[in-house]
Amino acid sequence: MSFPFINAIISWFLKKRKHQLELFLKYPIDVQNELLQKLLNTAKDTEFGKQYNFSSIKNYADFSTKVPIQEYESIEPLIERCRKGEQNLFWPTPIRWFAKSSGTTNAKSKYIPVSEEAIEDCHLKAGKDMLCLYVSNNENSKMFKGKGLKLGGSTAIYENNNSSFGDLSAILTKNLPFWADFSSAPSHEISLMAEWETKMEAIIDETINENITSLFGVPSWMLVLLNRVLEKTGKDNILEVWPNLEVYFHGGVNFSPYREQYKKLIPKKDFKYYETYNASEGFFAIQDVNNSEELLLMLDYGIFYEFIPMDKYDGENSPTIPLSEVKKDISYAVVITTNGGLWRYLIGDTIRFTSTDPYRIKITGRTKHHINVFGEELIIENAEKALKSASKKTNASIKDYTVGPIFMNDNKSGGHEWIIEFSKAPENMAYFTELLDNALKAINSDYEAKRYKNMTLGIPIVHQARENLFYDWLREKGKLGGQHKVPRLSNSRWFLEELL
């Protein structure tokens, strides 16, 4: 399909969306409140809607009082009934797709219902918005003169009981609009391959001679792919393979630990990085400005948002607040109600608002991925800021890491134990450890207090991991590719013990 035709489609969609975007930017609370009533009215005659008397809910206060917060385990019985063919349980239109998600490397899988509305009005709509926002900010873009390389999950679609499940990326690949086929690579056949390493080689073989102008995927796995491209071609950097590459759309993990490695792989001053925030449960936010680390919360994708201040977090028993009550620079757990039939669902992510006009956010971590064994309240955002600081001062570069506690024993203080795989290790590990410790103290006052005179926390122990330790560990568990991530912070030593 020709470049002018693709650009014409994007231009048409951009004009159509401009008014809608302006509407939720100008009236965010009204848009969210109207959306809540629409979701309730749509699902009032479902089994779940009747159980909680959706017809009687007139406002947010009613909603937050009558409908309980739910984690996956609470709604799993309904989802399992739906997977076996029952319908109209929590959403009125037929649910035929389920996004298989583990979230971490735990063996237990989640099956997130994906309605037709969620596909069209959330995930695919967000994909179009992502491209439109980028083109709007970069009028001279030639992205559509070439193809976008999309690195999705490694799970194929499996069918059972007239329903299908698989990675969200595989579900979306099956539902992409016809014109997307002409502007993306690899082919559907390769995108849906189940075996990750075979798929990786097939992607390289198919794309190596294409005019790739954009990249889409999780930073950790895209890094593996790009390094293999260089190995196979013998080139020094990716621009020697794909000279017209201009933007990388990324999400799934914090990009900060990977940024310097990407700059070396793609040595182009005006190369653009655009971050997205999406999950199996929905598409939530998009970077809408060049060279920004903030994401615009998208308020018209069929998702109603609530938030739990992390200092009051207590799982399903937590108090929530609506969007209208959030404040900047406070860490919140995210609760969503969606057009896929998730009601007051605790997704497990934490964010903070960097702006409330418009509502822009930064992802700070996971509700379950933190360390608070000793009252230190260490979150992923703290850890990655400290790592960035220590790495910069020692000219080091980090590939992957995980952290767990050292429990107090025989009157000895506790501590934190780190396993870090470096792409470029510091010359002096003791110095790196001291810098890391000092950075954590500067960032987190609770950590600093517990480190006072080593009474509660001793200086961290840092192990330098062998090359590909985390990759090999994920491969042993059948967790290569796509959404699977190394767990960063944990209150237990389970991951440490397996890796050490």
Side-chain angles (χ1 to χ4, degrees), residues 256-341:
S256 294
Y258 303 99
R259 190 175 295 277
E260 292 306 313
Q261 296 176 69
Y262 274 89
K263 284 182 179 179
K264 290 176 183 177
L265 284 171
I266 310 170
K268 187 176 185 179
K269 283 187 177 180
D270 60 348
F271 189 79
K272 301 293 191 298
Y273 296 92
Y274 262 61
E275 185 175 359
T276 63
Y277 173 26
N278 63 309
S280 299
E281 294 87 352
F283 205 119
F284 311 124
I286 303 173
Q287 178 184 329
D288 65 318
V289 179
N290 284 344
N291 306 314
S292 173
E293 293 187 355
E294 301 172 274
L295 305 179
L296 179 67
L297 191 64
M298 306 303 283
L299 303 178
D300 65 346
Y301 286 174
I303 300 172
F304 178 79
Y305 293 97
E306 299 173 76
F307 304 92
I308 303 168
M310 281 305 290
D311 61 357
K312 298 178 180 177
Y313 182 79
D314 186 22
E316 292 180 343
N317 300 311
S318 304
T320 60
I321 59 172
L323 185 65
S324 60
E325 295 180 24
V326 301
K327 296 178 180 178
K328 292 196 300 182
D329 298 323
I330 292 175
S331 190
Y332 294 104
V334 182
V335 178
I336 59 172
T337 291
T338 77
N339 55 3

XYZ file of all heavy atoms in Angstrom, residues 256-341:
706
model
N 14.407 3.412 31.736
C 15.629 4.079 32.194
C 16.863 3.177 32.206
O 17.930 3.594 31.743
C 15.413 4.685 33.589
O 14.471 5.721 33.521
N 16.775 1.931 32.730
C 17.984 1.097 32.756
C 18.504 0.715 31.370
O 19.650 0.284 31.237
C 17.521 -0.156 33.520
C 16.320 0.256 34.276
C 15.655 1.275 33.413
N 17.672 0.862 30.357
C 18.046 0.438 29.004
C 18.438 1.596 28.093
O 18.971 1.374 27.005
C 16.878 -0.318 28.353
C 16.422 -1.512 29.140
C 15.304 -1.441 29.967
C 17.108 -2.719 29.070
C 14.885 -2.540 30.701
C 16.687 -3.825 29.796
C 15.584 -3.721 30.609
O 15.166 -4.806 31.342
N 18.178 2.818 28.516
C 18.307 3.974 27.618
C 19.707 4.103 27.012
O 19.856 4.309 25.803
C 17.940 5.267 28.371
C 17.825 6.474 27.452
C 17.338 7.693 28.229
N 15.994 7.524 28.738
C 14.889 7.735 28.046
N 14.960 8.106 26.778
N 13.698 7.578 28.595
N 20.746 4.001 27.827
C 22.104 4.174 27.316
C 22.480 3.086 26.318
O 23.202 3.340 25.346
C 23.103 4.219 28.484
C 22.978 5.458 29.359
C 23.072 6.755 28.561
O 23.989 6.874 27.724
O 22.223 7.648 28.769
N 21.991 1.854 26.560
C 22.288 0.774 25.618
C 21.632 1.038 24.262
O 22.222 0.763 23.212
C 21.798 -0.552 26.198
C 22.535 -0.953 27.470
C 21.974 -2.221 28.076
O 22.128 -3.294 27.506
N 21.324 -2.105 29.231
N 20.423 1.581 24.290
C 19.741 1.892 23.035
C 20.433 3.035 22.291
O 20.510 3.034 21.054
C 18.269 2.220 23.281
C 17.397 0.985 23.320
C 17.170 0.301 24.502
C 16.826 0.489 22.158
C 16.393 -0.852 24.540
C 16.042 -0.656 22.179
C 15.833 -1.321 23.378
O 15.071 -2.462 23.389
N 20.940 3.993 23.037
C 21.649 5.103 22.398
C 22.880 4.611 21.651
O 23.245 5.152 20.604
C 22.040 6.150 23.445
C 20.885 7.017 23.923
C 21.358 8.060 24.916
C 20.201 8.946 25.376
N 20.655 9.953 26.367
N 23.525 3.588 22.191
C 24.700 3.026 21.520
C 24.292 2.195 20.303
O 24.961 2.217 19.272
C 25.488 2.165 22.508
C 26.187 2.973 23.588
C 26.878 2.076 24.598
C 27.513 2.906 25.711
N 28.131 2.045 26.747
N 23.195 1.470 20.436
C 22.720 0.659 19.318
C 22.160 1.515 18.183
O 22.276 1.165 17.006
C 21.623 -0.307 19.796
C 22.061 -1.540 20.582
C 20.838 -2.245 21.159
C 22.837 -2.500 19.691
N 21.539 2.643 18.553
C 20.899 3.524 17.570
C 21.478 4.929 17.752
O 20.857 5.798 18.375
C 19.365 3.531 17.752
C 18.813 2.098 17.819
C 18.684 4.290 16.617
C 17.365 1.992 18.230
N 22.681 5.176 17.248
C 23.370 6.458 17.471
C 22.853 7.571 16.557
O 23.527 8.006 15.623
C 24.838 6.113 17.184
C 24.769 5.015 16.176
C 23.532 4.218 16.500
N 21.670 8.021 16.847
C 21.027 9.055 16.034
C 20.490 10.129 16.964
O 19.627 9.849 17.809
C 19.894 8.412 15.217
C 19.232 9.314 14.197
C 18.191 8.498 13.411
C 17.560 9.300 12.293
N 16.569 8.481 11.535
N 20.963 11.347 16.832
C 20.640 12.407 17.790
C 19.147 12.695 17.884
O 18.615 12.958 18.962
C 21.394 13.694 17.423
C 22.863 13.660 17.817
C 23.513 15.020 17.597
C 24.960 14.986 18.058
N 25.625 16.306 17.851
N 18.474 12.677 16.744
C 17.051 13.028 16.756
C 16.144 11.796 16.777
O 14.958 11.890 16.462
C 16.703 13.916 15.570
C 16.998 13.253 14.224
O 17.676 12.206 14.216
O 16.545 13.778 13.188
N 16.708 10.625 17.143
C 15.877 9.423 17.250
C 14.873 9.615 18.376
O 15.201 10.145 19.442
C 16.746 8.195 17.515
C 15.994 6.893 17.438
C 15.699 6.325 16.217
C 15.563 6.241 18.591
C 14.987 5.131 16.128
C 14.857 5.053 18.518
C 14.566 4.503 17.282
N 13.630 9.164 18.144
C 12.554 9.387 19.110
C 12.212 8.108 19.878
O 12.206 7.009 19.316
C 11.287 9.883 18.404
C 11.460 11.180 17.623
C 11.734 12.354 18.540
C 11.643 13.687 17.811
N 12.632 13.818 16.728
N 11.916 8.291 21.152
C 11.420 7.208 22.004
C 10.037 7.605 22.506
O 9.874 8.685 23.069
C 12.360 6.973 23.188
C 13.739 6.508 22.784
C 14.771 7.423 22.571
C 14.015 5.151 22.603
C 16.034 7.006 22.184
C 15.280 4.722 22.228
C 16.284 5.654 22.019
O 17.539 5.223 21.638
N 9.050 6.739 22.303
C 7.692 7.013 22.759
C 7.234 5.870 23.668
O 7.224 4.710 23.263
C 6.741 7.155 21.568
C 6.487 8.603 21.187
C 7.534 9.420 20.775
C 5.220 9.163 21.284
C 7.318 10.746 20.442
C 4.995 10.493 20.947
C 6.055 11.279 20.529
O 5.832 12.592 20.214
N 6.862 6.223 24.891
C 6.464 5.213 25.871
C 4.949 5.042 25.892
O 4.194 6.005 25.705
C 6.950 5.603 27.265
C 6.679 4.537 28.317
C 7.261 4.866 29.678
O 7.901 5.934 29.813
O 7.073 4.064 30.619
N 4.517 3.815 26.117
C 3.092 3.517 26.283
C 2.895 2.740 27.582
O 3.825 2.132 28.106
C 2.556 2.681 25.111
O 3.239 1.411 25.089
C 2.766 3.390 23.789
N 1.683 2.762 28.079
C 1.341 2.019 29.296
C 0.098 1.196 28.988
O -1.015 1.711 28.948
C 1.097 2.999 30.439
C 0.579 2.402 31.730
C 0.815 1.068 32.085
C -0.134 3.195 32.632
C 0.339 0.548 33.280
C -0.592 2.692 33.830
C -0.361 1.363 34.146
O -0.822 0.845 35.333
N 0.326 -0.082 28.706
C -0.797 -0.964 28.424
C -0.552 -2.324 29.055
O 0.566 -2.650 29.462
C -1.003 -1.105 26.915
C 0.182 -1.741 26.222
O 1.315 -1.319 26.407
N -0.068 -2.739 25.401
N -1.610 -3.095 29.153
C -1.545 -4.412 29.781
C -2.669 -5.256 29.190
O -3.466 -4.777 28.373
C -1.716 -4.285 31.294
N -2.750 -6.505 29.617
C -3.837 -7.365 29.157
C -5.190 -6.768 29.510
O -6.174 -6.940 28.788
C -3.706 -8.756 29.786
O -2.496 -9.368 29.407
N -5.243 -6.047 30.623
C -6.514 -5.502 31.112
C -6.969 -4.256 30.361
O -8.137 -3.878 30.433
C -6.397 -5.157 32.604
C -6.193 -6.359 33.502
C -4.728 -6.757 33.667
O -3.865 -6.187 32.962
O -4.434 -7.643 34.489
N -6.054 -3.597 29.678
C -6.448 -2.389 28.971
C -5.249 -1.554 28.564
O -4.116 -1.845 28.929
N -5.511 -0.511 27.805
C -4.491 0.441 27.375
C -4.773 1.736 28.136
O -5.854 2.285 28.026
C -4.574 0.666 25.864
C -3.279 1.112 25.248
C -2.657 0.349 24.278
C -2.682 2.302 25.623
C -1.465 0.749 23.697
C -1.489 2.718 25.052
C -0.877 1.934 24.080
N -3.791 2.224 28.891
C -4.075 3.270 29.864
C -3.510 4.644 29.537
O -4.155 5.654 29.782
C -3.564 2.838 31.246
C -3.981 1.451 31.642
C -3.047 0.484 31.992
C -5.322 1.093 31.641
C -3.440 -0.798 32.348
C -5.731 -0.197 31.991
C -4.778 -1.143 32.338
N -2.292 4.699 29.020
C -1.654 6.009 28.864
C -0.627 5.976 27.734
O -0.075 4.925 27.408
C -0.983 6.431 30.171
N -0.385 7.159 27.153
C 0.528 7.304 26.024
C 1.356 8.574 26.201
O 0.827 9.611 26.607
C -0.248 7.428 24.689
C -1.176 6.228 24.460
C 0.712 7.578 23.508
C -2.085 6.384 23.241
N 2.632 8.478 25.896
C 3.462 9.678 25.829
C 2.957 10.526 24.670
O 2.879 10.061 23.536
C 4.919 9.292 25.612
C 5.868 10.466 25.478
C 7.282 10.021 25.162
O 7.703 8.951 25.579
N 8.011 10.823 24.399
N 2.606 11.773 24.955
C 1.997 12.606 23.917
C 2.865 13.792 23.517
O 2.442 14.640 22.734
C 0.617 13.098 24.365
C 0.699 14.030 25.572
O 1.478 13.735 26.505
O -0.010 15.061 25.580
N 4.082 13.841 24.059
C 5.002 14.947 23.762
C 6.382 14.352 23.493
O 6.801 13.414 24.177
C 5.083 15.935 24.955
C 6.060 17.060 24.661
C 3.706 16.497 25.287
N 7.098 14.905 22.514
C 8.459 14.444 22.255
C 9.356 14.624 23.482
O 9.209 15.597 24.236
C 9.087 15.242 21.094
C 8.558 14.821 19.742
O 7.955 13.762 19.593
N 8.798 15.646 18.726
N 10.277 13.689 23.675
C 11.318 13.793 24.709
C 10.753 13.986 26.114
O 11.300 14.726 26.928
C 12.284 14.950 24.380
C 12.865 14.826 22.989
O 13.300 13.751 22.586
N 12.840 15.910 22.238
N 9.657 13.307 26.394
C 9.026 13.403 27.713
C 9.081 12.056 28.419
O 9.151 11.004 27.769
C 7.558 13.832 27.560
O 6.887 13.782 28.798
N 9.081 12.087 29.739
C 9.007 10.853 30.524
C 7.648 10.729 31.209
O 7.460 9.900 32.090
C 10.140 10.811 31.554
C 11.518 10.697 30.910
C 12.625 10.499 31.916
O 12.337 10.536 33.126
O 13.782 10.308 31.490
N 6.700 11.588 30.799
C 5.353 11.559 31.356
C 4.388 10.969 30.337
O 4.586 11.095 29.137
C 4.899 12.971 31.733
C 5.792 13.665 32.741
C 5.395 15.120 32.912
O 5.872 15.969 32.129
O 4.592 15.404 33.815
N 3.333 10.339 30.850
C 2.334 9.710 29.982
C 0.972 10.352 30.225
O 0.569 10.555 31.367
C 2.250 8.213 30.277
C 3.555 7.416 30.194
C 3.301 5.957 30.545
C 4.173 7.522 28.825
N 0.275 10.635 29.128
C -1.075 11.204 29.220
C -2.053 10.077 29.507
O -2.146 9.104 28.759
C -1.433 11.897 27.905
C -2.827 12.525 27.824
C -2.935 13.710 28.777
C -3.131 12.965 26.385
N -2.804 10.199 30.611
C -3.819 9.204 30.952
C -4.984 9.363 29.981
O -5.589 10.429 29.872
C -4.295 9.411 32.395
C -5.168 8.310 32.999
C -4.397 6.997 33.112
C -5.685 8.739 34.376
N -5.284 8.287 29.251
C -6.325 8.332 28.221
C -7.669 7.991 28.868
O -7.864 6.891 29.385
C -5.989 7.375 27.090
C -4.604 7.606 26.485
S -4.327 9.282 25.846
C -5.223 9.201 24.297
N -8.601 8.930 28.810
C -9.819 8.836 29.620
C -11.047 8.393 28.852
O -12.129 8.299 29.434
C -10.087 10.193 30.286
C -8.946 10.721 31.158
C -9.299 12.097 31.719
C -8.627 9.750 32.293
N -10.906 8.101 27.554
C -12.099 7.714 26.781
C -11.901 6.382 26.057
O -12.350 6.205 24.929
C -12.484 8.819 25.795
C -11.451 9.052 24.707
O -10.311 8.558 24.840
O -11.787 9.725 23.702
N -11.222 5.453 26.723
C -11.016 4.116 26.157
C -11.926 3.061 26.785
O -11.656 1.875 26.700
C -9.562 3.677 26.360
C -8.540 4.346 25.473
C -7.181 4.104 25.662
C -8.921 5.217 24.457
C -6.221 4.706 24.860
C -7.971 5.829 23.652
C -6.623 5.571 23.858
O -5.672 6.172 23.057
N -12.990 3.513 27.439
C -13.885 2.557 28.085
C -13.364 2.072 29.421
O -13.783 1.008 29.901
N -12.472 2.841 30.044
C -11.904 2.467 31.343
C -12.171 3.585 32.346
O -11.796 4.744 32.117
C -10.386 2.213 31.245
C -10.088 1.081 30.262
C -9.801 1.881 32.622
C -8.617 0.886 29.966
N -12.819 3.226 33.454
C -13.054 4.163 34.554
C -11.996 3.903 35.618
O -11.764 2.762 36.024
C -14.450 3.970 35.143
C -14.730 4.886 36.311
C -15.074 6.206 36.094
C -14.631 4.422 37.617
C -15.320 7.063 37.176
C -14.880 5.257 38.698
C -15.231 6.585 38.470
N -11.364 4.994 36.090
C -10.231 4.866 37.003
C -10.573 5.252 38.435
O -11.303 6.211 38.675
C -9.078 5.758 36.544
C -8.467 5.327 35.237
C -8.854 5.939 34.036
C -7.517 4.314 35.187
C -8.305 5.545 32.823
C -6.957 3.923 33.979
C -7.354 4.531 32.807
O -6.810 4.141 31.614
N -9.992 4.470 39.353
C -9.968 4.831 40.770
C -8.550 4.615 41.270
O -7.750 3.904 40.646
C -10.913 3.952 41.578
C -12.371 4.038 41.181
C -13.205 3.010 41.931
O -13.488 3.226 43.128
O -13.540 1.974 41.325
N -8.248 5.201 42.438
C -6.881 5.153 42.930
C -6.845 4.934 44.437
O -7.718 5.404 45.174
C -6.144 6.449 42.563
C -6.171 6.720 41.085
C -7.184 7.497 40.531
C -5.225 6.169 40.243
C -7.234 7.730 39.166
C -5.271 6.386 38.878
C -6.279 7.172 38.334
N -5.830 4.201 44.863
C -5.619 3.922 46.290
C -4.285 4.518 46.710
O -3.238 4.115 46.193
C -5.586 2.406 46.564
C -6.870 1.723 46.092
C -5.334 2.122 48.044
C -6.774 0.195 46.073
N -4.287 5.498 47.627
C -2.994 5.992 48.132
C -2.215 4.829 48.761
O -2.766 4.074 49.563
C -3.398 7.031 49.184
C -4.809 7.410 48.824
C -5.430 6.183 48.245
N -0.958 4.669 48.383
C -0.213 3.501 48.826
C 0.017 3.466 50.335
O 0.233 2.399 50.909
C 1.118 3.399 48.081
C 0.980 2.830 46.666
S 0.143 1.207 46.613
C 1.384 0.142 47.355
N -0.062 4.620 50.997
C 0.076 4.596 52.459
C -1.181 4.064 53.141
O -1.190 3.822 54.351
C 0.447 5.973 53.012
C -0.598 7.047 52.720
O -1.604 6.750 52.032
O -0.414 8.185 53.182
N -2.262 3.843 52.343
C -3.500 3.263 52.871
C -3.833 1.932 52.201
O -4.938 1.406 52.353
C -4.667 4.245 52.679
C -4.481 5.565 53.431
C -5.643 6.515 53.177
C -5.437 7.828 53.927
N -6.532 8.800 53.645
N -2.871 1.396 51.462
C -3.122 0.192 50.665
C -3.328 -1.038 51.549
O -2.525 -1.336 52.436
C -1.958 -0.048 49.711
C -2.168 -1.252 48.813
C -2.976 -1.164 47.688
C -1.593 -2.485 49.118
C -3.191 -2.258 46.866
C -1.797 -3.583 48.301
C -2.591 -3.471 47.187
O -2.811 -4.562 46.389
N -4.439 -1.754 51.282
C -4.742 -2.982 52.014
C -5.495 -3.942 51.090
O -6.551 -4.471 51.448
C -5.567 -2.661 53.266
C -5.789 -3.889 54.142
O -4.998 -4.855 54.042
O -6.763 -3.895 54.921
N -4.969 -4.123 49.888
C -5.591 -5.047 48.955
C -7.037 -4.704 48.669
O -7.394 -3.543 48.425
N -7.894 -5.715 48.723
C -9.318 -5.529 48.411
C -10.054 -4.708 49.462
O -11.188 -4.282 49.243
C -9.992 -6.891 48.251
C -9.518 -7.665 47.024
C -10.195 -9.015 46.891
O -10.781 -9.500 47.882
O -10.146 -9.608 45.789
N -9.414 -4.469 50.593
C -10.038 -3.681 51.665
C -9.604 -2.217 51.657
O -9.873 -1.476 52.597
C -9.698 -4.298 53.023
C -10.199 -5.728 53.140
O -11.359 -6.008 52.837
N -9.336 -6.640 53.560
N -8.939 -1.807 50.589
C -8.381 -0.451 50.534
C -9.445 0.605 50.241
O -10.392 0.351 49.501
C -7.321 -0.376 49.430
O -6.307 -1.345 49.614
N -9.273 1.807 50.799
C -10.151 2.926 50.420
C -9.698 3.518 49.089
O -8.502 3.601 48.820
C -9.929 3.928 51.559
C -8.522 3.664 52.020
C -8.280 2.193 51.830
N -10.649 3.898 48.250
C -10.310 4.455 46.937
C -10.743 5.908 46.827
O -11.613 6.376 47.572
C -10.993 3.663 45.813
O -12.417 3.727 46.005
C -10.531 2.221 45.780
N -10.143 6.588 45.857
C -10.585 7.937 45.495
C -10.740 7.992 43.974
O -10.070 7.259 43.255
C -9.594 9.032 45.964
C -8.201 8.799 45.350
C -9.522 9.084 47.480
C -7.235 9.936 45.609
N -11.634 8.867 43.470
C -11.784 9.013 42.013
C -10.699 9.940 41.465
O -9.931 10.550 42.221
C -13.174 9.641 41.876
C -13.329 10.453 43.121
C -12.613 9.689 44.213
N -10.664 10.069 40.158
C -9.670 10.906 39.494
C -9.705 12.346 40.006
O -8.659 12.995 40.128
C -9.916 10.879 37.975
C -8.901 11.602 37.097
C -7.534 10.938 37.184
C -9.391 11.646 35.650
N -10.878 12.847 40.322
C -11.026 14.245 40.743
C -10.289 14.572 42.036
O -10.019 15.743 42.323
C -12.509 14.589 40.909
O -13.104 13.748 41.885
N -9.910 13.544 42.811
C -9.287 13.795 44.114
C -7.794 13.491 44.164
O -7.167 13.650 45.211
C -10.013 12.972 45.200
C -11.462 13.387 45.407
C -12.153 12.556 46.477
O -11.461 11.997 47.355
O -13.399 12.463 46.432
N -7.220 13.059 43.054
C -5.794 12.719 43.085
C -4.942 13.975 43.203
O -5.348 15.070 42.815
C -5.361 11.911 41.837
C -6.151 10.627 41.741
C -5.478 12.743 40.558
N -3.736 13.777 43.759
C -2.770 14.872 43.894
C -1.441 14.450 43.291
O -1.153 13.269 43.155
C -2.597 15.233 45.378
C -3.866 15.768 46.008
C -3.670 16.063 47.490
C -4.967 16.594 48.119
N -4.822 16.833 49.569
N -0.655 15.438 42.959
C 0.642 15.151 42.357
C 1.612 14.543 43.377
O 1.512 14.791 44.578
C 1.260 16.438 41.780
C 0.529 17.005 40.586
C 1.376 18.020 39.819
C 1.777 19.199 40.673
N 2.564 20.179 39.886
N 2.528 13.727 42.831
C 3.683 13.205 43.580
C 3.309 12.314 44.764
O 4.044 12.240 45.747
C 4.576 14.357 44.043
C 5.135 15.138 42.866
O 5.457 14.507 41.846
O 5.220 16.379 42.963
N 2.157 11.648 44.665
C 1.757 10.631 45.646
C 1.651 9.310 44.904
O 1.139 9.252 43.789
C 0.403 10.995 46.298
C 0.566 12.235 47.181
C -0.148 9.823 47.114
C -0.734 12.750 47.764
N 2.154 8.245 45.497
C 2.093 6.934 44.846
C 0.717 6.317 45.074
O 0.243 6.214 46.201
C 3.187 6.013 45.399
O 3.277 4.840 44.630
N 0.068 5.912 43.956
C -1.266 5.316 44.010
C -1.270 3.939 43.360
O -0.616 3.727 42.333
C -2.274 6.176 43.247
C -2.566 7.544 43.805
C -2.029 8.679 43.206
C -3.395 7.706 44.911
C -2.309 9.951 43.703
C -3.681 8.973 45.412
C -3.126 10.092 44.810
O -3.416 11.341 45.306
N -2.036 3.019 43.937
C -2.382 1.778 43.246
C -3.565 2.082 42.326
O -4.421 2.907 42.654
C -2.750 0.691 44.244
N -3.607 1.416 41.173
C -4.629 1.692 40.167
C -5.738 0.652 40.227
O -5.482 -0.553 40.261
C -4.009 1.707 38.751
C -5.072 2.052 37.709
C -2.851 2.688 38.676
N -6.988 1.123 40.224
C -8.182 0.271 40.179
C -8.953 0.635 38.910
O -9.179 1.822 38.645
C -9.067 0.484 41.424
C -10.323 -0.370 41.348
C -8.292 0.175 42.696
N -9.352 -0.366 38.132
C -10.032 -0.076 36.868
C -11.379 -0.791 36.765
O -11.569 -1.877 37.306
C -9.166 -0.463 35.649
C -8.818 -1.966 35.674
C -7.910 0.390 35.574
C -8.134 -2.457 34.404
N -12.294 -0.140 36.052
C -13.556 -0.741 35.623
C -13.594 -0.586 34.115
O -13.389 0.519 33.605
C -14.749 -0.033 36.289
O -14.742 -0.341 37.688
C -16.062 -0.474 35.673
N -13.832 -1.700 33.386
C -13.585 -1.658 31.944
C -14.747 -2.161 31.091
O -15.651 -2.853 31.580
C -12.353 -2.515 31.578
O -12.729 -3.907 31.600
C -11.208 -2.292 32.540
N -14.658 -1.846 29.798
C -15.613 -2.352 28.824
C -15.273 -3.782 28.394
O -15.764 -4.260 27.377
C -15.681 -1.432 27.597
C -14.321 -1.200 26.960
O -13.305 -1.761 27.377
N -14.292 -0.352 25.944
N -14.481 -4.450 29.200
C -14.244 -5.882 29.033
C -14.844 -6.674 30.179
O -14.677 -7.893 30.255
N -15.549 -5.982 31.097
C -16.232 -6.670 32.185
C -15.429 -6.809 33.461
O -15.780 -7.624 34.327
